[in-house]
Amino acid sequence: MKNKRIVVTGGPGTGKTVLISSLEEHGFHCFHEVIRTMTLDALDGKEVDDQLVNPIDFVDDAKSFNDQLINARLKHFKEGEIIQRPHLFYDRGLPDVIAYMNYFKQPIESYYSNLCSRHRYDEVLILPPWEDIYVQDNERMENFEQACGIHAHLDQTYTALGYQPIEVPFGTIEERLQFVIDHIEKTG
């Protein structure tokens, strides 16, 4: 069985994790985001003041952090090769790492681009910035303006890699879930 790999992406605080959880509750196989755990680990024992910043600012080696992140997402991608389900959902994909690195003006080695070129998803669903639901917390350190900038970089990165991101409209979780279900039923 050939499964369809679908990335759910968007800037911070757009409702991705809630949508992924809802898809999972409805029987879909979902791969969960790995960055929250990595961010908490990076913050462990560090003092965070009122100036909330990028988690890269808290790690000793930004390259190692990004390598761990893209390799964790690559592991999810490869795990998808043995799962016999028609649809696999990923809470963020490999290209998200490049988008964030671009946003935070970090150097990007060809290793990252090569991984993204060799490991392709079938579709990308992107959730737009939504100020009404946006909340900063210990793992989501960006303010809403930064979240909008990250969203733009995500859209640009996926588009530059040949994807055509499909925007998931604002709405209740039930409405967003139904949009995704209707979309995959229509496109296979």
Side-chain angles (χ1 to χ4, degrees):
M1 168 188 287
K2 168 96 171 86
N3 49 32
K4 188 172 187 179
R5 298 171 189 265
I6 304 167
V7 172
V8 178
T9 192
T14 56
K16 293 177 304 302
T17 302
V18 173
L19 179 57
I20 286 287
S21 294
S22 186
L23 285 161
E24 194 168 48
E25 288 170 11
H26 282 79
F28 292 97
H29 188 89
C30 299
F31 292 94
H32 294 274
E33 171 60 288
V34 296
I35 190 71
R36 283 191 168 264
T37 302
M38 291 178 64
T39 301
L40 286 173
D41 289 346
L43 291 171
D44 189 33
K46 304 254 182 359
E47 297 257 346
V48 180
D49 60 17
D50 292 338
Q51 182 79 22
L52 298 174
V53 292
N54 175 16
I56 294 297
D57 293 334
F58 292 101
V59 298
D60 296 326
D61 183 356
K63 181 185 178 322
S64 175
F65 183 88
N66 288 324
D67 285 349
Q68 289 174 18
L69 180 56
I70 203 159
N71 286 328
R73 292 195 179 137
L74 178 61
K75 181 178 181 230
H76 283 171
F77 189 95
K78 288 182 176 183
E79 287 172 2
E81 294 170 359
I82 59 171
I83 296 171
Q84 299 295 309
R85 302 289 293 275
H87 299 94
L88 303 177
F89 288 91
Y90 296 82
D91 188 345
R92 297 201 178 278
L94 293 159
D96 285 59
V97 179
I98 292 175
Y100 270 77
M101 290 174 75
N102 276 330
Y103 178 79
F104 288 111
K105 298 176 179 35
Q106 297 174 287
I108 300 169
E109 296 178 11
S110 60
Y111 170 74
Y112 296 95
S113 301
N114 290 339
L115 279 179
C116 292
S117 294
R118 288 194 324 263
H119 300 88
R120 305 274 307 165
Y121 301 93
D122 296 296
E123 285 206 40
V124 176
L125 302 176
I126 192 165
L127 282 71
W130 189 359
E131 194 164 17
D132 290 348
I133 66 167
Y134 189 81
V135 175
Q136 280 181 296
D137 60 26
N138 289 336
E139 299 92 39
R140 183 181 302 126
M141 296 179 269
E142 303 87 356
N143 62 35
F144 184 71
E145 181 180 318
Q146 291 167 321
C148 291
I150 290 168
H151 171 81
H153 277 77
L154 288 161
D155 193 38
Q156 292 164 4
T157 299
Y158 276 99
T159 300
L161 288 167
Y163 294 99
Q164 296 177 348
I166 296 161
E167 187 171 291
V168 177
F170 297 142
T172 65
I173 187 54
E174 293 81 11
E175 291 167 337
R176 285 179 143 189
L177 174 66
Q178 193 60 54
F179 174 86
V180 172
I181 291 170
D182 291 346
H183 176 73
I184 63 173
E185 287 176 354
K186 183 171 49 173
T187 61

